Amino acid sequence: MPSVLITGGAGFIGQNLVHAWRAARPEDRVVVVDAMTYAANIRSLEPLINDGSIQFVNGDIGDPALIQRLFEEHAFTRVAHLAAESHVDRSISDPEAFLQTNVLGTFALLNAALAAWRTSGLLDSARFLHVSTDEVYGSLGPADPAFTESSPYRPTSPYAASKAASDHLVRAFIVTYGMPALITNCSNNYGAYQHPEKLIPLMIIHALEGKRLPIYGDGSNVRDWLHVSDHCAALIDVIERGRTGETYNIGGGNERNNRDVVGLICDTIDACFVASPALGQRFPSCPAASGASCRTLIGYVTDRPGHDHRYAIDASKLATDLGSRCSVGFEHGLAQTVHWYLDHETWWRDITSGEYKAWIEKNYGFRAAVY
Ligand code: NAD
Ligand code: TYD
């Protein structure tokens, strides 16, 4: 039976990938390893764990004895490596964990997988997919062409630098040891199960609660939004059909500046309240509950240090080589996402207590309103 290890499977993209993998390849054995940091949430996986269709292991990718034991037990033929510290703002205030997990953790995982596949003779048929980010390429000017797989690495945040270091390690293992690895660099994801520290869920939840919508700087920074379902479909295509040793960029083809993204979130929520007036009782502090627009909550705050201006992905290699294309348009995907957060209030309320409150105070407390 084919057997896959998904690292970081309790995170945002990881949970979506576990569900996508079960749907696309129901015969495969799926094992998730996740250290259950603040960013993890296992609730969506519980039905799969309880009915035995996946196995969940609470553990660190940087623990070689654990990873070796898992390889011995399950003879993985695929590794989808998503475990990481992933939030740029946290990497600015506390970079150490990023080096620990993203660099040293990736190194430990590569080492363990290489040793296991050498011993079992699977080096020719196994595949290791390293999931990385477009942030390794640095920042684009407004008229620059989109990042290709051969764009130079110019990371600017500690997060991006740690992911760049991990990409370099994976390439070194490919060239030096014949590691059967592939790398993907994708743009900003959005969709169900995203932690409310990231732009889109943060703005949705703040709007519902009638809190300020804190846009960094002047809001002209551009991201290329990729729906997580398109991303997961592409990851499965790459790990199954991509050429080992290669890198594939994955992008949504949806470049938007932050002002427009936040404005669209506001308009989408306003429309939901018009269509379902009962939402006003659930979220009485939301301006839309009294017929006003959520746009009244928008405020511009002190910028992120070293804030990359623009990311854009040229995903033509993925389309040409693998026929893999993203299909979710941004307006449609964003409306779906707003509905998902409206329908999963318990999920985000559990997260937005405790540690999260301390983070909001740390990251936003010092940011002055700019205008
Ligand atoms: P996330 O922060 O939501 O989830 C990361 C998961 O990794 C969490 O469940 C966490 O508990 C786990 N983890 C952290 N350290 C670990 C360790 N030492 N051992 C085992 N598990 C550990 O992140 P995400 O948004 O799902 O991102 C997944 C991957 O995709 C990351 O590698 C990230 O760099 C990459 N990526 C994300 C985006 C995005 O927009 N979210 C964009 C480009 C690339
Ligand atoms: P984020 O979701 O943190 O992803 P990344 O930094 O990896 O691109 O942020 C997306 C964009 O939104 C980025 O330009 C920073 C901006 N942003 C804000 O303006 N306000 C916020 O409160 C957050 C979290 C992000």
Side-chain angles (χ1 to χ4, degrees):
M1 186 198 285
S3 180
V4 57
L5 175 66
I6 300 182
T7 75
F12 160 48
I13 301 171
Q15 286 174 68
N16 281 282
L17 182 64
V18 170
H19 289 291
W21 200 290
R22 293 297 324 148
R25 302 179 57 86
E27 302 308 318
D28 291 3
R29 178 187 301 150
V30 175
V31 178
V32 168
V33 65
D34 197 295
M36 297 303 290
T37 68
Y38 78 93
N41 194 303
I42 206 176
R43 191 172 298 169
S44 87
L45 302 182
E46 274 165 358
L48 302 180
I49 297 167
N50 293 339
D51 73 11
S53 47
I54 68 167
Q55 187 176 326
F56 178 80
V57 180
N58 183 344
D60 191 326
I61 53 163
D63 176 351
L66 169 72
I67 303 296
Q68 187 187 339
R69 177 172 67 70
L70 292 178
F71 266 89
E72 284 164 6
E73 271 174 33
H74 301 285
F76 300 118
T77 49
R78 303 281 182 268
V79 174
H81 174 36
L82 291 92
E85 290 293 335
S86 70
H87 189 35
V88 172
D89 291 316
R90 288 189 193 250
S91 83
I92 292 168
S93 53
D94 187 8
E96 199 168 329
F98 289 72
L99 299 181
Q100 197 61 47
T101 285
N102 301 0
V103 185
L104 297 177
T106 297
F107 170 69
L109 185 69
L110 282 165
N111 244 347
L114 180 67
W117 286 337
R118 276 180 169 161
T119 307
S120 59
L122 287 174
L123 210 50
D124 288 338
S125 56
R127 273 146 183 266
F128 183 108
L129 173 65
H130 176 63
V131 177
S132 190
T133 171
D134 57 1
E135 303 193 27
V136 299
Y137 300 126
S139 183
L140 292 170
D144 288 339
F147 300 126
T148 68
E149 289 77 1
S150 50
S151 294
Y153 272 39
R154 293 193 177 109
T156 59
S157 71
Y159 163 65
S162 69
K163 292 296 289 188
S166 67
D167 293 9
H168 290 320
L169 271 173
V170 174
R171 283 202 187 89
F173 268 65
I174 292 168
V175 174
T176 307
Y177 307 118
M179 183 77 177
L182 306 101
I183 299 174
T184 54
N185 295 90
C186 71
S187 56
N188 286 64
N189 282 225
Y190 70 104
Y193 304 112
Q194 187 164 32
H195 192 282
E197 68 189 357
K198 302 282 168 63
L199 178 75
I200 288 180
L202 182 131
M203 296 296 173
I204 295 172
I205 290 168
H206 275 215
L208 293 176
E209 297 194 315
K211 294 181 180 159
R212 181 173 68 163
L213 307 183
I215 298 180
Y216 297 164
D218 66 2
S220 64
N221 306 70
V222 173
R223 300 292 183 261
D224 173 0
W225 292 98
L226 169 64
H227 195 269
V228 67
S229 62
D230 275 337
H231 184 205
C232 290
L235 292 179
I236 295 172
D237 285 343
V238 170
I239 198 168
E240 289 307 322
R241 297 189 286 112
R243 270 202 303 151
T244 51
E246 293 287 319
T247 294
Y248 297 88
N249 280 355
I250 308 173
N254 292 303
E255 280 190 60
R256 297 285 189 287
N257 71 40
N258 295 336
R259 270 194 313 267
D260 290 347
V261 170
V262 177
L264 189 57
I265 291 171
C266 292
D267 296 348
T268 308
I269 295 177
D270 292 347
C272 289
F273 276 65
V274 171
S276 309
L279 285 172
Q281 275 122 51
R282 282 176 56 203
F283 302 105
S285 305
C286 177
S290 48
S293 170
C294 292
R295 284 182 182 256
T296 54
L297 297 171
I298 292 174
Y300 293 85
V301 300
T302 313
D303 208 352
R304 171 188 282 172
H307 195 173
D308 286 341
H309 184 69
R310 172 176 166 243
Y311 305 138
I313 283 275
D314 176 343
S316 52
K317 178 176 173 184
L318 184 74
T320 310
D321 290 10
L322 306 182
S324 187
R325 285 184 183 77
C326 292
S327 64
V328 181
F330 187 60
E331 280 69 16
H332 175 69
L334 190 66
Q336 245 185 17
T337 305
V338 166
H339 282 284
W340 189 88
Y341 282 87
L342 283 171
D343 293 344
H344 292 78
E345 189 183 346
T346 316
W347 183 88
W348 55 261
R349 286 224 184 270
D350 282 355
I351 296 172
T352 52
S353 58
E355 192 274 350
Y356 182 75
K357 279 202 174 122
W359 164 251
I360 292 292
E361 184 45 42
K362 186 172 182 186
N363 190 44
Y364 297 93
F366 76 93
R367 288 179 198 273
V370 176
Y371 57 88

